[in-house]
Amino acid sequence: MSEAAHKVELTRHINRLHFLFPHEFSFYPKTWMLPEEFGEVSAYMSKAKKPPTLIVKPDGGSQGDGIFLMQNIHDVHLSTALARPCVVQEYVAEPYLLEKFKFDLRIYVVLKRLEPLEIFICREGMARFCTEHYQPPTHKNISKTYMHLTNYSLNKHSAGYVQSDAEDKGSKRKISAVFKQLEKQGCNIPLLWAEIDQLACKTVIALLPILKLQTQIISTELKQDLRSFQILGFDILLNKDLKPILLEVNSSPSLRIDYEEETVPGKVDYYVSKTDLEIKLPIVKDTMSLVWQQKKV
């Protein structure tokens, strides 16, 4: 699963199905794989009347490591790309904002089994906010990490980061609380959930052939059928029209429930986050219950 969820492999499988069913897989931004599609990216940028903004993501990167925005193809150094494959993706320059901040949704998906395919989508998750008011990308602000990237691992170092357990405050909030805010602004929440469900299911379907193949290979090597499960973290952005856009899939989403705080200079203490606890503990408990049911079958 970890290899299938890597950015290059995920892109390869989604692009394959997008070619066959463009309407059904329109939830994934236009994405290229480097170094093999460097020519296509270069041609795309050179044909554009206005320099498009693209986001570069290292293949196996996590927690925002190595991610950057660019408006010039020469910002990608082929020597780096050859040493470390990456994807180049159209940047969603018009995201839906709350309180002038860009945010994304961490949706937790439990892949219970492949045969028959069973997917469970958690109705609670996490909304992660940037810590600087959003502005469309320009050559002046394109490097402002806290404005454009929603990763908690990056924004927790920002002076604007807010640690709060209040439902309508903080740089990390429960999805249920954010959806209440969206509903007050006219968002059709049942429809949004239906679109998120479809996005998650179609993404897993795109990965299904490689997952089944790898499972068969390993089962043959071990001479036994495998029973396994996976908790996945889908990172989803809402565009200005409140349509969900898939950014990436994490095969090992963080299930930590604590956060660190420098109480005195040079001394860091750890505290339990009520928000993380209320999101992640039920996910783990429910997943264990699902796996136990699977073992009894």
Side-chain angles (χ1 to χ4, degrees):
M1 187 75 233
S2 61
E3 290 184 11
H6 274 189
K7 297 173 182 65
V8 168
E9 199 66 22
L10 176 70
T11 296
R12 192 185 312 278
H13 291 291
I14 291 184
N15 282 355
R16 174 174 54 87
L17 286 188
H18 180 268
F19 177 78
L20 298 172
F21 312 103
H23 178 71
E24 296 295 332
F25 286 82
S26 60
F27 56 81
Y28 194 58
K30 191 172 184 63
T31 308
W32 300 265
M33 298 165 285
L34 293 188
E36 58 196 88
E37 293 181 331
F38 179 82
E40 287 89 332
V41 181
S42 182
Y44 172 79
M45 297 192 76
S46 62
K47 290 178 182 177
K49 294 181 180 179
K50 180 182 177 182
T53 302
L54 304 181
I55 183 167
V56 182
K57 304 177 183 179
D59 181 36
S62 61
Q63 300 181 337
D65 177 44
I67 296 178
F68 65 94
L69 274 61
M70 70 171 187
Q71 294 178 330
N72 188 325
I73 190 61
H74 298 296
D75 289 340
V76 174
H77 302 291
L78 270 182
S79 58
T80 303
L82 287 169
R84 190 180 185 187
C86 61
V87 298
V88 178
Q89 191 173 74
E90 278 189 326
Y91 181 72
V92 182
E94 295 184 295
Y96 193 87
L97 305 179
L98 274 179
E99 302 157 18
K100 299 183 180 180
F101 292 107
K102 177 183 175 180
F103 67 97
D104 73 355
L105 308 174
R106 167 60 61 86
I107 303 292
Y108 294 93
V109 176
V110 178
L111 180 54
K112 181 181 176 182
R113 71 171 104 204
L114 302 179
E115 292 282 2
L117 180 60
E118 287 189 67
I119 305 167
F120 293 81
I121 301 170
C122 304
R123 281 300 184 254
E124 189 58 278
M126 183 174 293
R128 306 174 303 178
F129 285 74
C130 285
T131 47
E132 287 187 22
H133 287 166
Y134 182 78
Q135 295 176 358
T138 66
H139 70 280
K140 291 183 178 180
N141 70 26
I142 199 170
S143 60
K144 290 192 173 184
T145 299
Y146 301 143
M147 177 186 293
H148 295 293
L149 302 184
T150 54
N151 306 72
Y152 162 72
S153 56
L154 298 176
N155 280 281
K156 69 179 182 179
H157 300 295
S158 167
Y161 184 82
V162 177
Q163 176 65 44
S164 174
D165 289 326
E167 282 204 344
D168 58 347
K169 293 182 177 65
S171 300
K172 282 201 303 186
R173 307 179 196 178
K174 292 193 293 185
I175 280 181
S176 57
V178 169
F179 277 15
K180 286 179 183 178
Q181 291 179 268
L182 295 180
E183 191 170 34
K184 290 178 181 178
Q185 297 180 11
C187 177
N188 185 333
I189 299 302
L191 175 61
L192 177 57
W193 267 121
E195 291 175 338
I196 290 173
D197 290 348
Q198 289 187 25
L199 179 157
C201 290
K202 290 173 183 177
T203 301
V204 174
I205 287 171
L207 295 174
L208 201 55
I210 187 64
L211 293 178
K212 283 187 174 182
L213 177 62
Q214 293 296 334
T215 300
Q216 291 172 2
I217 292 173
I218 297 172
S219 295
T220 301
E221 291 175 349
L222 297 177
K223 297 180 180 179
Q224 60 176 320
D225 290 330
L226 298 179
R227 288 180 176 177
S228 55
F229 69 94
Q230 191 86 23
I231 299 176
L232 303 171
F234 279 62
D235 291 344
I236 293 174
L237 184 75
L238 301 180
N239 69 11
K240 64 176 182 177
D241 299 318
L242 287 168
K243 295 296 181 183
I245 305 294
L246 177 65
L247 300 180
E248 59 184 65
V249 178
N250 296 273
S251 60
S252 300
S254 172
L255 294 174
R256 289 186 60 169
I257 58 171
D258 62 348
Y259 65 94
E260 57 189 53
E261 189 174 293
E262 189 175 25
T263 51
V264 295
K267 185 175 186 288
V268 175
D269 288 326
Y270 293 85
Y271 302 91
V272 172
S273 164
K274 180 183 175 185
T275 299
D276 284 87
L277 183 66
E278 291 180 352
I279 293 171
K280 297 172 182 177
L281 181 59
I283 290 170
V284 174
K285 289 174 67 176
D286 287 351
T287 301
M288 292 300 100
S289 178
L290 288 170
V291 173
W292 177 249
Q293 293 172 17
Q294 180 172 317
K295 286 187 175 182
K296 292 194 294 183
V297 173

